[in-house]
Amino acid sequence: MSDQEAIGEAVARTVRSLRAGHGWSLDELAGRAGVSKGVLVGLEQGRGNPNLGTLIRISDALGVPLTRLVQVEEEPATRLFPPDRHVVLWHGPSGGTGTLLGGSDPRPSLELWRWVLRPGEVRQSDAHVPGTKEIIYVEDGVLTLGVAGHRDTVQAGTAAVFVGDRPHSYSNETDETVQFVLAVLDP
């Protein structure tokens, strides 16, 4: 395979993936990028030889640098997030934590979190984007899950799936520490 063919395949693969990640049709990306749908069809099929201006307009519309479109190497099948890459993004008043363990991009994106709530701690969350889903698994303790004004008690060893596009909360109303794992699917 020539270098030009490898770049064409890389552009096709990347544009298809990013467009799908945004949930856009060919028509929508064409409109946002100011290129014809025919150019995009050829590009996503690995045909044609788009000029630099066309590639720049497409990369701008997708919100990625041009280098991402022409990167011949595929993303690795596995991305590791060792402990030094975990990020504590929430600190409770009594020492609880919300730690982002890892995530994917572009959309649809998936985030994996580990939460520790000390007695009396509450984490209020605004509604996420429409279509967001969340799943929790309580490892230790008893979690009170509030979603759009409805409250559920989630015991250790239990999982719960809920819509994250409504206001929701996680709270510890017991005298024991609660630990749970949370996954967020953001469409």
Side-chain angles (χ1 to χ4, degrees):
M1 177 184 307
S2 73
D3 287 345
Q4 191 65 28
E5 290 170 328
I7 291 171
E9 285 186 19
V11 169
R13 177 182 62 244
T14 304
V15 169
R16 267 193 318 269
S17 173
L18 292 172
R19 180 178 62 77
H22 284 292
W24 295 344
S25 66
L26 284 166
D27 287 324
E28 188 166 357
L29 176 56
R32 289 173 182 263
V35 300
S36 74
K37 181 178 175 181
V39 166
L40 284 177
V41 168
L43 190 90
E44 287 194 6
Q45 293 177 349
R47 296 181 289 123
N49 187 14
N51 65 38
L52 180 59
T54 298
L55 290 175
I56 289 171
R57 286 193 301 278
I58 292 170
S59 68
D60 286 346
L62 291 168
V64 297
L66 177 61
T67 53
R68 173 98 183 262
L69 291 188
V70 298
Q71 183 178 4
V72 175
E73 297 84 24
E74 290 190 51
E75 280 193 44
T78 303
R79 286 176 45 204
L80 299 178
F81 294 88
D84 65 342
R85 291 204 46 211
H86 300 173
V87 181
V88 178
L89 293 174
W90 180 81
H91 294 275
S94 299
T97 55
T99 306
L100 180 61
L101 302 174
S104 66
D105 66 335
R107 285 193 164 137
S109 64
L110 181 63
E111 298 172 348
L112 183 63
W113 293 78
R114 178 153 172 67
W115 286 83
V116 175
L117 296 180
R118 303 289 183 214
E121 288 186 325
V122 177
R123 165 62 174 129
Q124 298 283 345
S125 180
D126 292 329
H128 301 300
V129 298
T132 298
K133 301 284 187 211
E134 298 192 24
I135 184 170
I136 59 168
Y137 174 76
V138 178
E139 297 176 306
D140 293 307
V142 178
L143 177 70
T144 300
L145 175 63
V147 180
H150 181 78
R151 292 166 42 95
D152 287 293
T153 300
V154 187
Q155 303 284 333
T158 303
V161 177
F162 61 98
V163 292
D165 58 5
R166 298 177 191 158
H168 52 282
S169 64
Y170 321 105
S171 61
N172 181 354
E173 298 176 356
T174 72
D175 294 332
E176 303 293 326
T177 296
V178 174
Q179 295 183 58
F180 64 98
V181 176
L182 168 72
V184 180
L185 177 61
D186 193 4

